[in-house]
Amino acid sequence: MTLLPVVAPDGQALPAQEAVRERPLSLETTISEALAGNADLRVAAARSDMAEAAADGGAAIYWPRLDFESGFVRSNDPVFAFGTQLRQGTFTQADFDPQTLNNPDPTNDWVNRIALRWKVFSPGDWTARGVASREAEAVRWSAARTREATVLQAEVLYLEVQRTAAQQRAAQAAEAAAGANRDVFARRVDQGLLTRADLLQAEADHSFAVARRVDQERLATNARRNLAIFLGWDASELPVPTDTLRLSPPKASDMKAATPFDPAARADLRTLSAAREAANADARRAGQSYLPEVGVFASYGIHGADAFTNDGDNWTVGVGLKWNIFSGFRRSNDKQRSDAALVLADTRYETAVRQARAELDEARAGVAAVRQALEASIAGDRAAEAGSELMRRRFEEGLATASDLLQAESRRARAESHAIDTQAGYHMTEARLRFVTTLHANGNDQ
């Protein structure tokens, strides 16, 4: 258990608010943790399961419906009494007496019935099943894209943790260098080799370095906390990256051949394609709602005066046609709505394809541009470091002024900070390019 104290401006540690456990984390483990614990990904998976279940439930239209009914009725209604006696087969000669027919005694009827209904031809309902299947497919592809986005975000957040950690180390090194300069200047002021103004400048640079280090520590902690939240961790845990961000110029072998863009093979575009197919199926459903339905039905019932007795049984079978001639313009309005929804789905898909092509070109250009910037930044950092070392030797030899040394040190710190940002940015643009070029050959690639 690691306790992270809160440090006051005077350097005194304030009471810590809570104990924080630090967990070492590699990039590979970060991605695995994100896929297992990210809240947005769990929500997307749950929505996909719901849509799949709804689509499977829609398949019930293809199957017959079988019901079992059981109940008891007691009545002296003449029609009920006459019909029940017929079903139970209990008529006698005395039951045909007019007085008995008009005023029968209460009659008991225990009935157990099995009923079957089956729509053997229902174009509207069958097409509605296709709509649900396409909608479930769209949600499934959306969940696949959410998974890809989760991997991208996990990598970006991990890189941000690496970047802020590297900036923190650089700020600490700059603070140490500024403190060493201040001490050297103080001794030389005592020796009469430098002026008080030179020492004040060194002290100012050291104060700026302290402020930068404190700010970088805050940013590094915030980056770790953001990653922990994204991974679904408890608030008492903070990740510690096991991989450090190293400044290294890109190699020619790192450049990969451009991946052909296929709008039919990217998960987010497949989502919109499936949504368009669902809208098309819904338009067909609305048109087929004008067609008649044909169904069959059958039932078998047992009747008795007492429970669990069989005084008589009967069965019924039949076939029927149902054709809605007029429904108050509901179907025509539904057809207009579904046609408009199809136009909307087509427009969204076509627009998304154009945007995806532009996004791909932008990502490729971004990698190329940041690649060049990284080469220049690393070269500048190395030059600034060599210049700073040379300027320090010249200062020690009395060939450079205190102002020259402070400027060289400041230039070195800025160059290193810029190189760190550019290195992290290069990895992020590469991750972004992988994201926009992630293709699926088929549904099994999800």
Side-chain angles (χ1 to χ4, degrees):
M1 187 74 71
T2 302
L3 193 64
L4 299 181
V6 180
V7 180
D10 59 0
Q12 298 295 323
L14 298 176
Q17 295 181 348
E18 62 177 343
V20 177
R21 184 166 65 92
E22 294 185 331
R23 289 176 53 183
L25 205 63
S26 66
L27 176 58
E28 181 179 355
T29 306
T30 297
I31 294 175
S32 298
E33 291 271 351
L35 294 178
N38 180 258
D40 291 339
L41 187 56
R42 293 202 304 270
V43 170
R47 287 176 175 171
S48 179
D49 292 342
M50 291 170 58
E52 290 287 349
D56 292 342
I61 189 63
Y62 300 133
W63 297 89
R65 171 170 175 165
L66 188 64
D67 296 313
F68 171 75
E69 301 174 4
S70 180
F72 169 75
V73 179
R74 177 178 174 82
S75 175
N76 66 349
D77 178 76
V79 175
F80 171 80
F82 187 86
T84 299
Q85 287 181 302
L86 282 176
R87 294 188 185 98
Q88 295 177 355
T90 58
F91 262 113
T92 64
Q93 185 66 33
D95 293 322
F96 287 94
D97 179 69
Q99 181 63 29
T100 302
L101 289 174
N102 289 324
N103 297 286
D105 294 330
T107 303
N108 296 339
D109 187 26
W110 294 83
V111 59
N112 294 285
R113 180 182 293 110
I114 295 178
L116 179 145
R117 291 183 177 275
W118 192 4
K119 290 184 178 181
V120 296
F121 180 75
S122 180
D125 288 342
W126 291 351
T127 309
R129 165 70 170 93
V131 175
S133 298
R134 294 296 181 268
E135 290 175 345
E137 182 182 358
V139 176
R140 185 170 65 250
W141 281 114
S142 178
R145 193 56 172 174
T146 301
R147 180 185 178 88
E148 296 165 0
T150 301
V151 172
L152 170 66
Q153 187 66 8
E155 186 172 356
V156 168
L157 289 175
Y158 189 83
L159 285 168
E160 180 63 14
V161 172
Q162 288 182 306
R163 185 192 71 81
T164 54
Q167 291 286 15
Q168 180 181 347
R169 291 191 296 270
Q172 291 169 346
E175 180 185 355
N181 287 339
R182 180 195 59 187
D183 296 341
V184 170
F185 283 22
R187 288 195 300 270
R188 294 204 173 189
V189 168
D190 293 339
Q191 296 170 359
L193 300 177
L194 292 177
T195 66
R196 179 66 178 170
D198 294 325
L199 177 58
L200 291 175
Q201 182 63 42
E203 290 179 345
D205 283 357
H206 178 259
S207 297
F208 293 150
V210 171
R212 177 171 177 262
R213 187 260 306 163
V214 171
D215 192 50
Q216 289 301 328
E217 288 176 348
R218 176 185 61 82
L219 294 176
T221 301
N222 288 344
R224 295 165 62 192
R225 185 174 293 110
N226 290 337
L227 177 58
I229 293 173
F230 183 79
L231 298 179
W233 287 8
D234 187 80
S236 62
E237 295 180 307
L238 282 181
V240 178
T242 57
D243 307 318
T244 57
L245 187 67
R246 293 181 174 85
L247 299 181
S248 59
K251 302 177 182 178
S253 59
D254 294 337
M255 295 296 291
K256 300 179 181 179
T259 304
F261 178 71
D262 182 9
R266 214 175 78 172
D268 56 333
L269 297 179
R270 284 195 170 193
T271 298
L272 294 175
S273 177
R276 181 175 63 171
E277 292 176 1
N280 189 28
D282 190 51
R284 292 197 306 272
R285 176 205 58 77
Q288 292 173 352
S289 64
Y290 291 94
L291 299 176
E293 296 179 351
V294 177
V296 298
F297 57 92
S299 67
Y300 173 76
I302 298 175
H303 298 265
D306 298 313
F308 308 109
T309 60
N310 182 7
D311 294 331
D313 57 11
N314 55 76
W315 56 266
T316 304
V317 295
V319 60
L321 181 145
K322 179 182 178 181
W323 193 356
N324 179 224
I325 304 300
F326 180 70
S327 60
F329 304 105
R330 178 186 59 81
R331 288 175 295 181
S332 61
N333 293 332
D334 184 40
K335 187 65 171 65
Q336 292 177 1
R337 179 203 57 78
S338 61
D339 289 343
L342 178 58
V343 173
L344 179 61
D346 283 335
T347 303
R348 285 177 172 172
Y349 177 75
E350 294 167 358
T351 302
V353 170
R354 291 194 298 269
Q355 291 176 342
R357 294 185 187 278
E359 186 180 54
L360 179 59
D361 293 339
E362 180 182 349
R364 287 172 176 166
V367 170
V370 178
R371 181 185 179 87
Q372 296 176 6
L374 178 58
E375 294 174 346
S377 296
I378 292 179
D381 176 58
R382 291 173 177 174
E385 182 180 5
S388 176
E389 294 297 332
L390 178 60
M391 190 63 68
R392 177 170 294 278
R393 289 197 298 269
R394 289 174 60 84
F395 174 75
E396 293 173 351
E397 296 169 356
L399 301 177
T401 66
S403 178
D404 293 335
L405 176 60
L406 295 177
Q407 289 179 4
E409 292 284 358
S410 177
R411 187 181 302 110
R412 176 182 181 177
R414 291 197 305 272
E416 183 179 13
S417 177
H418 186 269
I420 290 172
D421 287 344
T422 308
Q423 182 75 63
Y426 176 67
H427 293 314
M428 291 180 184
T429 54
E430 281 191 320
R432 176 66 179 174
L433 178 59
R434 289 194 299 271
F435 177 68
V436 300
T437 56
T438 300
L439 306 180
H440 294 269
N442 51 63
N444 296 328
D445 293 339
Q446 298 181 68

